[in-house]
Amino acid sequence: MTLTVTDLSVTRGALPVLSGVSFAIVPGEALILRGPNGIGKTTLLRTVAGLQPAYAGSIAGAEDQIAYAAHADGLKPTLSTRENLKFWAQIFGVKDVTHRVSEALADFDLETLADRPAANLSAGQKRRLGLARLGVTGRPIWIMDEPTVSLDTSSVQRFAEVVQNHLQSGGSAMIATHIDLGLSGTELDLTSYKTAPQQLDDFDGAFL
Amino acid sequence: MSFWEYANPRKFLTTSERVLPLVWGLAAITTLVGLVWGFFFTPDDFRMGSTVKIIFLHVPSALMAINAWFMMLLASIIWIVRRHHVSALAAKAAAPVGAIMTVIALVTGAIWGQPMWGTWWEWDPRLTSFLVLFLFYLGYIALWEAIEDPDTAADLTSILCLVGSVFAVLSRYAVLFWNQGLHQGASLSLDKEENIADVFSNPLYVCMVGFALLFLALVLYRTGTEIRLRRMKALIARERLEG
Amino acid sequence: MIALLYRDLQLAFRAGGGFGLGLAFFLIVVVLVPFAVGPQSELLARIAPGVLWIGALLACLLSLDRVLALDWEDGSLDLLATAPLPLEAIVTMKSCAHWITTALPLVVISPLLGVLLHLPGGGYLWLVISLLLGTPALSVIGTFGAALTVGLKRGGLLLSLLVLPLYVPTLIFGAEVARRGAAGLAVETPLLMLAGISAASLAVLPFASAAVLRINLR
Amino acid sequence: MELGKYADTVLSTYAVSLALLIGLVVWTILRGQKIRKELRKIEERGHIDG
């Protein structure tokens, strides 16, 4: 399923930050978002994930296709690694819960930590668990916001492999990141989409 | 020309600026005339003595306390349906005015209750309902103050106003059921024989109009303030965005 | 849906989940009341239904800020919002979990605390019934309040301020049932009203809570 | 004019109510003026910057 974004404008705190963003992500490809801090990468990702409404433009092919991984991993400290994954698999209603969970554990080298409470994981291990969550959702489009934060070099390598496998099996991904993951796909620099400031005298409904 | 043109903040500001002096003036004159008439030129009631003069404050403020909430409800619905910013800001502007009106109604009622019922406070259904109404006003104002993003605040307070209205009505029935009460029936009504005498009702009508005009003036002025505050925030946010 | 309820229950019962806090709070309130009003058993018997209702209500209120805030902080709420479950179902499950972990134990223990307050013999049944019927409304209304204040720092006090006026009708009818039951009077009218409020809140408020949550998540 | 034995009651209600009303009006206007001034400052700054 192709994700098509046309002429999208996104707002942060009622102010448009990016406008006229258009792209398409076909299965098997990844879109890497680039741009300086504060340009609106997170806002764009949240809008595409359906967490906030678009200011203008359209998003097609996103409904019930997206697994979203934010800065926060949504882990419960008192549940074990396996229980955390199992919960998300159940919430997303996949059929073979146990199988998918053990697959995801293997993908991110978490098998030895499977029964440890998430509270006792290191920051990098938590991040790996948060990313492993994407795999158990069964959703084809992965949207990731700075996924490699607090991962070491070998974990980043491993993560890149998992995403590459996901792409090869017909999935797609949209990633905001500063490092080069060597994935097949296109890069999109958001700097050119930055919304131009409006005229001050144009005192309209947005108070600007 | 459509009424909705005033939903444009700039249009609202210029128009309200033009009519406000008139509304302030009318409000001041009517309220003053009503209160002076009521205070100096009405006889004492045979039963309540001079305390009857309190109704010229008590009844109009109670009326406006309820009407202010109705206005907020209406403005909230307009915001939810049509998303006119001015509407949401008008609701925000009306809340403190409504809260003060509620306090006036409660305080005048309590002071009047002291010689009449022999107690400052009675858990009478009407007094209790007003106390609950006051709590609703407090919650509503506190929610506006607590939320940073103005659109989020407008959305959340509108929904609180809708839900709160339903529960306020429920509370009214619950309180009626819970205590039948000492409070007299409505002071003014169209079909009752025991309507209060004309000597009292005429200045009372003037006071009610005066309070309504005062409410209008306050809300128009405060909405203007809220619009400016909103624009100020937007400008500051934009400056920050430009770095 | 069941998975969400199951997880919330699991979290509540594990260490640090806060299960039992509400119960302890309820116990303490009820124990403190006789110290404050004096030990006369007739007086205690008269105020027992009201004290038990207020204690239960406050214990419910105390635990409300955990209903959604924890999931908000660790990002679960964002992730849940992108899940196939509608938000209405999510908030309903959250209210359910709150009711099971907080309100239900209060209902169960209330007759025991009734003994401490010399609740008259006929009152026990109606006390339990009124709490059983009324506490779901408290949980659902509380979830609405929690949804309103979920993104706010120090939202706890604001949450109480918003929720308490909304609790007024439930408290009045609930305590009335318990009081009339204890006095041996007819309870039908307040009982019907209480059931009506609970049913209506359960039916309507999840939509309001979900709408509020959607606004808070964006 | 004679208020009789209820003079205190009547006078205190009028005093409290008028104080509240006048306080509300004064507060409203002071706040309005303050915000008006601040906004003007920011608008001017915007014109110089932009």
Side-chain angles (χ1 to χ4, degrees):
Chain A
M1 183 111 187
T2 307
L3 174 71
T4 318
V5 166
T6 324
D7 227 5
L8 185 70
S9 296
V10 299
T11 56
R12 184 172 54 211
L15 280 177
V17 284
L18 294 170
S19 41
V21 183
S22 297
F23 57 81
I25 309 175
V26 296
E29 265 201 29
L31 182 77
I32 316 289
L33 294 181
R34 305 274 190 204
N37 291 334
I39 187 80
K41 290 191 292 286
T42 299
T43 311
L44 177 62
L45 292 177
R46 286 180 69 86
T47 309
V48 175
L51 285 167
Q52 60 179 68
Y55 183 67
S58 68
I59 303 164
E63 186 97 353
D64 284 340
Q65 302 295 318
I66 282 171
Y68 173 64
H71 297 287
D73 292 314
L75 303 176
K76 290 297 167 191
T78 49
L79 296 185
S80 73
T81 305
R82 191 193 301 278
E83 282 167 333
N84 268 304
L85 281 181
K86 198 175 142 199
F87 165 68
W88 287 110
Q90 284 167 337
I91 284 293
F92 278 83
V94 295
K95 286 192 191 74
D96 37 0
V97 172
T98 334
H99 172 67
R100 272 197 191 263
V101 168
S102 40
E103 212 174 52
L105 286 172
D107 279 347
F108 282 92
D109 196 17
L110 289 164
E111 283 145 319
T112 48
L113 306 168
D115 296 315
R116 193 184 286 190
N120 299 341
L121 297 179
S122 73
Q125 289 165 338
K126 277 186 191 154
R127 192 79 254 227
R128 267 148 64 195
L129 175 51
L131 294 170
R133 196 184 55 79
L134 293 169
V136 303
T137 59
R139 293 272 175 96
I141 305 170
W142 291 2
I143 292 189
M144 289 170 274
D145 197 354
E146 303 286 355
T148 53
V149 171
S150 65
L151 290 184
D152 56 23
T153 332
S154 65
S155 298
V156 170
Q157 197 58 44
R158 197 162 195 119
F159 164 67
E161 278 165 26
V162 172
V163 177
Q164 193 63 52
N165 283 339
H166 175 63
L167 297 181
Q168 267 155 20
S169 61
S172 54
M174 184 172 170
I175 311 171
T177 183
H178 293 289
I179 62 168
D180 186 22
L181 292 165
L183 298 169
S184 52
T186 43
E187 279 192 17
L188 184 71
D189 194 333
L190 291 176
T191 320
S192 56
Y193 296 108
K194 189 173 171 179
T195 306
Q198 283 159 292
Q199 275 300 304
L200 255 184
D201 298 322
D202 181 22
F203 193 158
D204 63 359
F207 298 90
L208 276 172
Chain B
M1 200 185 86
S2 148
F3 168 73
W4 297 112
E5 270 185 32
Y6 297 102
N8 174 290
R10 168 141 287 175
K11 175 91 181 152
F12 179 90
L13 276 188
T14 49
T15 313
S16 68
E17 211 101 296
R18 216 168 328 120
V19 300
L20 257 175
L22 181 70
V23 182
W24 277 122
L26 277 179
I29 292 169
T30 324
T31 311
L32 218 63
V33 166
L35 287 179
V36 168
W37 184 357
F39 189 81
F40 292 105
F41 303 105
T42 55
D44 289 356
D45 185 72
F46 70 95
R47 212 158 30 91
M48 295 189 269
S50 60
T51 60
V52 72
K53 296 185 195 303
I54 295 174
I55 63 165
F56 304 118
L57 290 167
H58 182 70
V59 174
S61 59
L63 188 74
M64 289 326 292
I66 294 171
N67 285 353
W69 187 274
F70 273 126
M71 188 230 115
M72 282 157 56
L73 177 62
L74 195 68
S76 299
I77 293 173
I78 292 176
W79 161 249
I80 291 175
V81 176
R82 297 195 61 138
R83 315 225 34 104
H84 292 312
H85 287 86
V86 173
S87 179
L89 294 178
K92 182 186 183 188
V97 183
I100 294 284
M101 292 293 175
T102 316
V103 172
I104 293 177
L106 280 173
V107 168
T108 52
I111 299 178
W112 179 83
Q114 166 55 24
M116 288 299 120
W117 299 337
T119 169
W120 291 104
W121 183 258
E122 186 61 45
W123 288 96
D124 159 85
R126 275 198 200 199
L127 285 182
T128 313
S129 301
F130 265 76
L131 196 59
V132 175
L133 181 65
F134 181 62
L135 295 180
F136 275 110
Y137 273 121
L138 281 189
Y140 180 87
I141 295 169
L143 191 61
W144 260 112
E145 293 305 316
I147 302 168
E148 199 118 331
D149 182 79
D151 273 358
T152 307
D155 282 335
L156 296 185
T157 51
S158 305
I159 295 176
L160 177 68
C161 187
L162 288 183
V163 172
S165 301
V166 175
F167 276 85
V169 172
L170 267 179
S171 304
R172 176 95 185 98
Y173 282 105
V175 165
L176 268 179
F177 176 82
W178 163 80
N179 186 349
Q180 311 309 335
L182 303 164
H183 202 288
Q184 23 271 112
S187 304
L188 289 173
S189 67
L190 297 174
D191 55 325
K192 263 195 210 151
E193 288 289 310
E194 52 191 274
N195 213 333
I196 60 165
D198 282 350
V199 268
F200 299 121
S201 64
N202 287 333
L204 182 54
Y205 286 132
V206 177
C207 283
M208 280 157 64
V209 174
F211 269 60
L213 282 169
L214 191 61
F215 174 76
L216 182 67
L218 280 165
V219 170
L220 280 179
Y221 188 89
R222 296 176 64 90
T223 309
T225 305
E226 295 298 340
I227 289 174
R228 292 196 180 87
L229 190 66
R230 181 68 205 272
R231 174 160 159 81
M232 211 166 94
K233 274 191 184 167
L235 289 177
I236 291 172
R238 202 189 66 147
E239 278 180 4
R240 212 176 293 146
L241 202 67
E242 285 166 3
Chain C
M1 250 167 101
I2 300 301
L4 180 60
L5 181 61
Y6 177 72
R7 180 196 69 155
D8 278 359
L9 296 182
Q10 213 176 5
L11 287 172
F13 289 121
R14 292 210 178 161
F19 177 77
L21 277 181
L23 214 53
F25 181 81
F26 189 30
L27 175 73
I28 288 168
V29 167
V30 171
V31 169
L32 288 182
V33 165
F35 294 145
V37 303
Q40 303 90 335
S41 52
E42 327 79 71
L43 176 62
L44 287 176
R46 207 147 53 81
I47 61 170
V51 170
L52 290 166
W53 251 91
I54 276 288
L57 185 142
L58 290 178
C60 268
L61 191 69
L62 190 73
S63 49
L64 282 177
D65 59 340
R66 299 180 65 93
V67 173
L68 293 166
L70 294 178
D71 277 350
W72 166 272
E73 278 159 20
D74 65 16
S76 305
L77 218 48
D78 276 350
L79 305 177
L80 279 172
T82 57
L85 282 179
L87 264 179
E88 284 80 3
I90 291 170
V91 291
T92 308
M93 284 303 113
K94 288 275 162 194
S95 315
C96 259
H98 176 261
W99 186 74
I100 293 173
T101 55
T102 309
L104 195 57
L106 299 178
V107 178
V108 172
I109 202 180
S110 62
L112 274 178
L113 298 181
V115 174
L116 288 180
L117 293 176
H118 302 283
L119 187 70
Y124 289 91
L125 180 66
W126 292 113
L127 174 70
V128 172
I129 289 179
S130 68
L131 282 172
L132 211 52
L133 273 178
T135 45
L138 299 186
S139 288
V140 178
I141 296 168
T143 307
F144 173 68
L148 275 175
T149 54
V150 73
L152 302 172
K153 292 175 204 88
R154 293 186 298 277
L157 207 57
L158 180 61
L159 173 61
S160 312
L161 183 61
L162 295 179
V163 165
L164 281 177
L166 299 177
Y167 274 176
V168 168
T170 316
L171 174 64
I172 287 180
F173 288 119
E176 186 75 17
V177 170
R179 207 165 48 182
R180 289 192 180 193
L185 300 168
V187 296
E188 284 81 6
T189 321
L191 193 66
L192 280 175
M193 293 301 289
L194 182 65
I197 288 174
S198 271
S201 306
L202 272 169
V204 178
L205 272 180
F207 294 97
S209 309
V212 162
L213 211 50
R214 229 166 254 132
I215 291 160
N216 264 328
L217 283 173
R218 72 177 183 219
Chain D
M1 200 195 57
E2 193 51 63
L3 290 172
K5 58 175 175 167
Y6 298 126
D8 291 351
T9 310
V10 176
L11 287 175
S12 57
T13 52
Y14 273 78
V16 171
S17 307
L18 290 180
L20 279 169
L21 280 180
I22 291 168
L24 177 64
V25 171
V26 169
W27 169 56
T28 297
I29 289 177
L30 284 183
R31 182 162 169 269
Q33 299 297 344
K34 198 183 113 209
I35 303 260
R36 204 184 278 253
K37 225 180 285 165
E38 280 175 30
L39 177 63
R40 202 169 302 135
K41 224 175 5 184
I42 289 174
E43 275 175 337
E44 278 162 14
R45 195 165 72 204
H47 278 296
I48 293 161
D49 286 351

